[in-house]
Amino acid sequence: METTLETAAPLSEAELARLDAYWRAANYLTVGQIYLLDNPLLREPLRPEHIKPRLLGHWGTSPGLSLLYAHLNRTIVARDLNAIYVTGPGHGGPAIVANTWLEGTYSELYPSVTRDEAGMARLFRQFSFPGGIPSHVAPEVPGSIHEGGELGYSLMHAYGAAFDNPDLLVACVIGDGEAETGPLAGSWLSNVFLNPARDGAVLPILHLNGYKIANPTVLDRIPRDDLLSMMRGYGYQPYLVEGDDPTTVHQLLAATLDRALDEIAAIQRHARTTGDTSRPRWPMIVLRTPKGWTGPSTVDGQQVEGTFRAHQVPVAQVRDNPEHLRQLEQWLRSYRPEELFDATGAPVADLAALPPTGDRRMSANPHTNGGVVLRDLVLPDFRDYAVPVDQPGASTAEAARVLGGWVRDVVRANPDRFRLLGPDEVASNRLGAAFEVTDRVFLGARYDSDDHLSPDGRVMEVLSEHLCQGWLEGYLLTGRHGIFTSYEAFIHIVDAMLNQHAKWLKVTRHIPWRRPIASLNYLLSSHVWRQDHNGFSHQDPGFIDHVVNKKAEVVRVYLPPDANTLLSTMDHCLRSRHYINVVVAGKQDAPNWLSMDEAVLHCRRGLGIWDWASTDNGQEPDVVLACAGDVPTLETLAAAELLRQHLPDLKVRVVNVVDLMRLQPESEHPHGLSDSQFDTVFTTDKPIIFAYHGYPWLIHRLTYRRTNHHNLHVRGYKEEGTTTTPFDMVMLNDLDRFHLVIDVIDRVPGLGTRAAHLRQAMVDARQRCRDHTRRHGEDAPEITEWRWTDSEAATNP
Ligand SMILES: Cc1ncc(C[n+]2csc(CCOP(=O)(O)OP(=O)(O)O)c2C)c(N)n1
Ligand SMILES: [Mg+2]
């Protein structure tokens, strides 16, 4: 199939002139934003005082972005498309701002930036200016779901937006530099997960302007045929639009967009009328135009247009160097602003008539303000999925599997707005019940021996944490819901993406026209303590530490200790808005501590005293045993029982923490406990032995201002691990029950000599259990068969 439409020239003279004028207007407004403080319409000769003192912004990518914007506008009107625009090179912020101003949205949302000369002056001044707007396609920019600051995620966001949006077209510009990133390189595979009947379309446009900041791009310097073959190999039908003569490129781009959109329409019609959902060959475009096109061709004798030198500000000494000033003025006037803007400074009527109107404008499309189109999930009552708990610890369950039953019914009740994503682990993370009602979406070849693969599945499994994260972000940003389940150790792979999403949430929270979206929910059930198959490489609980760095108004971390608390927690997370919720909970068989009623109350409190496990009986305790996480909770309760047996007059208070943010002061986090509440629970002067799921340091970080911090002693993961038994793992890190008892003996004043026998017994118990694992390859029965004994039963046998 041809990749270049050689002779096509679909635009009439008038259409061509209008498109070109629109493009020139956007370019003029882009340069104006980068340079001008005043004199926006060049009504007088440009003088140094009209120029910004600090020239900040990115010109190089901008003409390409605006060219595509203008052409997409033409097709939206011609075909009445429901389209949005994702800009990979988000550093081209001024280009997108320019286009949103031209189509009126900018002034509607920011009324002081009017579409006239005064408004244009404000538009220019505010860009990359203190107190103004950021340089990128940031959340402040109408129509943006993708800031493009950190490169690599455009195409996955685009696909995420298209899933379950059958009428939506997502045009996605990918920088050729961006295309070198790992996440973007993986993103081409997304078309294997896009169902042409159920989902919308993505039109990838590789912006092959040849350069990054200081280097050529790889994809521009491999043979063109290899690049096109690579795109074909990924299953796309590539079309090449190449040139540096505007008229030729306008005609070719218009013809190519028409061809691509015809193909998309045909693919969708075919799938939707015949029910054939085999994987189609979607079109994509390679746009090969000069970087910094229409800008200064040489500056100080060096070529700029068409090179990496056009990346940021191509003429930089404008205030001090009269030649540079002259060059800038010539550059601005080359767009002939007098033809583009009327006497008031508004775009002339012919230009204003080019873009679509109302919600059809890419900058006003409601899908780009996800909260506007967000519909609540239909959530089955999680209480109906409770495991019965008459006695704490008397029964066991796999918490994640219990949750799976509820998740299955969430999937069933929300067939158009909920996705479950994971890198190949949904079943191994015990959420396999979902496959009773759905499959894994997959449009590649399928065999009878496959397990629950189909084009209609609502579970998304791809071995790329980046893709799971990016698809889910795109899905959430366009008003839908989801859960991402992953290994605790490997979720670090998306640390950087989480940063960007957290920034987006923080900023949009304070933009009045942006509406809250559904939270990004992580369920990490293959956690550090139970990597029995895998060992050290799979042991890292540090994602929590990373998340806690983010703005308190955005992040939540939950460590439900058992099945019922996990159900209650996930229900809360799926109802919440505009957060990042991290839930760490086990998938292995473990004791059930709380009945559903108790679990709901405990989760609502976030942390609380477990009366039934404590022996302080309404008095001041001698020691507080605190715990967070399922495995530390188990070890803490076992330690509490040992203390009850061997030191019956020691007053022990057991505190469990589900919501980690409760530990922070209320001034630091909205969930924070007040100091007086904290002091009541944790005392002001008694030792606290805190068994924590992750790296111990985090608990100190969260509590360092509390009165009793100097008495806080935290056990957690200290980077000791290997492939061994679960109890050996906790012993390796001194988090085991015996060591917790030792910690109590060593820290409660006066206990040392009295409890010397017990201390020695605990040291011996550790050795005994260690030896057992070495001899038998499994944990000792005293560990595996241990059950919590109810204290009443213990005292009245
Ligand atoms: C992940 C990441 N690494 C590095 C950068 C710094 N950076 C900003 S723009 C740019 C070059 C981008 O080139 P390309 O994607 O080709 O965009 P364009 O040529 O359209 O400007 C780089 C390396 C970044 N923003 N993100
Ligand atoms: Mg480039």
Side-chain angles (χ1 to χ4, degrees), residues 82 156-170 189-203 263-273 276-280 282 367 414-421 438-444 454-460 471 474-475 478 480-481:
N82 179 11
M156 48 182 90
H157 282 166
Y159 275 96
F163 296 139
D164 293 317
N165 257 332
D167 299 330
L168 192 65
L169 170 75
V170 188
L189 303 175
S190 301
N191 65 23
V192 179
F193 301 83
L194 188 86
N195 178 326
R198 170 183 70 176
D199 301 323
V202 174
L203 178 61
E263 281 177 16
I264 287 172
I267 288 169
Q268 292 180 331
R269 207 179 313 112
H270 173 75
R272 292 169 194 187
T273 54
D276 171 11
T277 48
S278 53
R279 178 175 170 229
W282 296 94
H367 292 287
N414 299 278
D416 59 352
R417 74 194 86 145
F418 177 79
R419 298 260 182 152
L420 181 60
L421 301 98
T438 190
D439 297 311
R440 303 166 166 97
V441 58
F442 196 74
L443 283 93
S454 89
D456 304 312
R458 307 204 57 74
V459 173
M460 310 200 70
W471 288 345
Y475 199 63
T478 48
R480 284 79 60 75
H481 310 256

Side-chain angles (χ1 to χ4, degrees), residues 52-98:
K52 295 185 179 183
R54 299 164 71 237
L55 298 177
L56 308 162
H58 299 83
W59 161 247
T61 194
S62 295
L65 298 183
S66 290
L67 181 78
L68 288 164
Y69 206 111
H71 277 257
L72 285 165
N73 275 344
R74 179 188 75 87
T75 63
I76 291 168
V77 173
R79 295 161 186 257
D80 192 28
L81 296 175
N82 179 11
I84 66 173
Y85 193 54
V86 172
T87 320
H91 42 281
I96 307 302
V97 169

Side-chain angles (χ1 to χ4, degrees), residues 96-341:
I96 307 302
V97 169
N99 280 283
T100 64
W101 186 83
L102 281 173
E103 56 194 14
T105 323
Y106 204 90
S107 309
E108 289 164 22
L109 295 174
Y110 302 102
S112 67
V113 187
T114 40
R115 260 200 306 178
D116 54 21
E117 185 170 359
M120 193 190 292
R122 271 194 208 102
L123 184 81
F124 289 179
R125 187 186 175 87
Q126 67 173 15
F127 174 77
S128 284
F129 203 77
I133 64 166
S135 57
H136 282 57
V137 191
E140 288 86 346
V141 180
S144 176
I145 60 164
H146 174 88
E147 125 127 24
E150 186 168 286
L151 300 170
Y153 317 133
S154 60
L155 193 55
M156 48 182 90
H157 282 166
Y159 275 96
F163 296 139
D164 293 317
N165 257 332
D167 299 330
L168 192 65
L169 170 75
V170 188
C172 177
V173 188
I174 299 145
D176 49 356
E178 182 190 18
E180 294 172 15
T181 64
L184 197 294
S187 300
W188 301 110
L189 303 175
S190 301
N191 65 23
V192 179
F193 301 83
L194 188 86
N195 178 326
R198 170 183 70 176
D199 301 323
V202 174
L203 178 61
I205 304 164
L206 178 63
H207 190 193
L208 202 69
N209 60 18
Y211 294 91
K212 308 184 285 255
I213 296 177
N215 280 283
T217 59
V218 174
L219 296 187
D220 189 51
R221 300 291 177 95
I222 60 173
R224 202 69 84 233
D225 270 355
D226 285 359
L227 172 62
L228 298 173
S229 301
M230 180 175 139
M231 288 300 128
R232 281 190 206 99
Y234 280 120
Y236 295 94
Q237 165 58 44
Y239 288 103
L240 180 63
V241 174
E242 183 165 17
D244 57 8
D245 166 56
T247 303
T248 316
V249 172
H250 281 310
Q251 290 289 12
L252 185 54
L253 180 57
T256 306
L257 269 177
D258 281 342
R259 168 73 70 93
L261 294 170
D262 285 347
E263 281 177 16
I264 287 172
I267 288 169
Q268 292 180 331
R269 207 179 313 112
H270 173 75
R272 292 169 194 187
T273 54
T274 66
D276 171 11
T277 48
S278 53
R279 178 175 170 229
R281 189 167 282 279
W282 296 94
M284 65 83 60
I285 293 174
V286 178
L287 176 68
R288 190 5 176 157
T289 51
K291 189 151 184 167
W293 196 14
T294 73
S297 84
T298 54
V299 178
D300 299 332
Q302 267 190 322
Q303 191 190 340
V304 171
E305 187 186 17
T307 76
F308 64 89
R309 292 191 183 85
H311 182 70
Q312 288 188 350
V313 178
V315 226
Q317 264 71 58
V318 191
R319 274 192 158 197
D320 311 319
N321 180 333
E323 173 53 20
H324 282 200
L325 184 67
R326 191 197 61 73
Q327 237 183 328
L328 172 63
E329 179 160 0
Q330 189 185 31
W331 175 15
L332 279 162
R333 290 196 192 281
S334 73
Y335 298 118
R336 307 194 296 281
E338 63 286 357
E339 294 174 16
L340 308 173
F341 306 102

Side-chain angles (χ1 to χ4, degrees), residues 594-648:
L594 302 184
S595 71
M596 186 47 93
D597 286 345
E598 291 164 336
V600 169
L601 288 174
H602 185 53
C603 290
R604 204 158 288 161
R605 283 191 294 260
L607 67 75
I609 302 171
W610 281 2
D611 296 322
W612 50 269
S614 305
T615 52
D616 54 344
N617 294 323
Q619 298 172 41
E620 170 120 71
D622 299 315
V623 64
V624 176
L625 293 188
C627 49
D630 56 349
V631 168
T633 300
L634 171 66
E635 292 308 312
T636 296
L637 288 171
E641 193 173 86
L642 286 166
L643 291 168
R644 195 178 65 201
Q645 284 165 4
H646 297 285
L647 297 171

